[in-house]
Amino acid sequence: MERPFERAHMERALALASAERPHPNPRVGAVVVATDGTVVGEGAHQGAGTMHAEAMALAAAGHRARGGTLVVTLEPCDHQGQTPPCTGAIIDAAVSRVVVGAVDPDARVSGRGIARLQAAGVDVTTGVLAEEVVKADPAYFHHRRTGRPRLTLKAALTLDGQTAAVDGSSQWITGPGARHDSHLLRASADAIIVGAGTLIIDDPALDVRIDGYKGPQPRPVIIAGIRPLPEHLQLWGRNPIVVTTARREGPGEPLIVPAGKDGLPDLNSALLLLGQMGLLEILVEGGSVLAGALWQADLVDRAIFYIAGKVAGGTGRPVFASIWPTLDAAKPVEITAVEQLGPDLKVTFSTHVSHFTSQG
């Protein structure tokens, strides 16, 4: 049962976790509380091969952890990876109680860490701010449950649904506020996907361009198939992943996947392999052909549309280059947020209902 003040400690652990970018590992924060209620140790996992949050917090607490409480956002692991299992460190530290936010959906962990602690006589409570824990790292939970990265489709369009004019011009449909926000969105992604057509026409950099930004840059991914690509592109200097259906010469890291019925790379197979490479949060900035293919394959999990305070007044280029045959073919979505950015609107919607496990 949750005790007074444990929710506040979990909120602190969440803040610690949210400040890090450890993918493909989960965001985890931990707080150690001594028997007198004093916080004596904190930690957050910073990436593969580094100390886990629990071990870091317990190391900071030292002997003061004995008899105390460990508050951790995610179920402690009970398997040997690049670092030892956290359950052993917790048991050795002789804490009397562990408060867990969410049960880990990873099959190597789920329930095992909690069972190991309980078997050692540690009092374990689960489900404290579990939904908030999932919201703090949705891509990790999505990947561990589906095997695929979480895919976010981004588009900038006029109020009447056009992403570009007939001549291909689109800079700039939206204003500075929306463009700045889109770079914040890039900063939260592990990778950005574009199609070969967008790459050839626009030669995009696909990087985060925010004054003072020092975080990691998203990995570029090109859905190319066997289509020839120009030799001189901005992305070649960033070692992009080139998704293809056959071996090909040229720059970039090739990722060979089976061909679909249309002869182009099978998108589901590509996403599964990208997830195995540790790319869990993927942003799609490709053109209407790629967007339409991903939408028709039901691979879009979330979308963010920046809707300009402009009306095209005619047919240019739509978000999706695919046919809408009947009204019944439209897919229901859940609009989760609407925000005004200067003259523009940012509309976020989800295509799938999120579920989370709060109890072990």
Side-chain angles (χ1 to χ4, degrees), residues 166-222:
V166 170
D167 65 359
S169 59
S170 62
Q171 296 183 355
W172 299 102
I173 285 179
T174 55
R179 296 200 297 274
H180 176 78
D181 191 82
S182 72
H183 279 271
L184 294 176
L185 188 60
R186 284 183 176 182
S188 68
D190 299 324
I192 300 179
I193 292 181
V194 295
T198 296
L199 183 73
I200 293 169
I201 294 170
D202 295 341
D203 187 17
L206 302 183
D207 57 352
V208 180
R209 297 188 295 277
I210 300 174
D211 289 344
Y213 178 75
K214 297 180 180 179
Q217 291 287 351
R219 184 86 184 268
V221 179
I222 305 164

Side-chain angles (χ1 to χ4, degrees), residues 199-200 203 229-237 251:
L199 183 73
I200 293 169
D203 187 17
L229 299 175
E231 294 182 3
H232 303 290
L233 294 170
Q234 296 187 75
L235 285 188
W236 294 145

Side-chain angles (χ1 to χ4, degrees), residues 296 322-330:
Q296 293 301 320
S322 48
I323 300 299
W324 181 24
T326 67
L327 183 62
D328 290 341

Side-chain angles (χ1 to χ4, degrees), residues 69-160:
T69 299
L70 171 68
V71 179
V72 60
T73 57
L74 191 68
E75 176 184 5
C77 66
D78 189 42
H79 67 282
Q80 177 72 46
Q82 294 186 47
T83 57
C86 291
T87 51
I90 294 168
I91 293 167
D92 290 344
V95 299
S96 64
R97 179 171 168 80
V98 173
V99 179
V100 175
V103 174
D104 195 331
D106 192 313
R108 298 171 299 173
V109 182
S110 190
R112 290 178 53 186
I114 292 169
R116 170 81 184 279
L117 294 174
Q118 290 174 330
V122 180
D123 179 22
V124 180
T125 291
T126 63
V128 178
L129 297 183
E131 188 169 5
E132 287 81 354
V133 171
V134 176
K135 288 179 179 178
D137 197 5
Y140 172 79
F141 283 85
H142 178 85
H143 176 260
R144 291 305 190 270
R145 290 177 180 137
T146 67
R148 290 191 295 104
R150 187 174 78 143
L151 201 70
T152 297
L153 173 67
K154 188 202 86 173
L157 57 152
T158 64
L159 199 59
D160 51 343

Side-chain angles (χ1 to χ4, degrees), residues 12-22 25-32 41-60 70-74 86:
R12 173 58 182 165
L14 267 168
L16 292 167
S18 298
E20 302 297 337
R21 291 280 302 278
N25 289 3
R27 288 188 173 103
V28 184
V31 174
V32 178
E42 295 183 340
H45 183 47
Q46 297 174 349
T50 65
M51 290 180 70
H52 285 194
E54 303 94 316
M56 186 182 298
L58 290 168
L70 171 68
V71 179
V72 60
T73 57
L74 191 68
C86 291

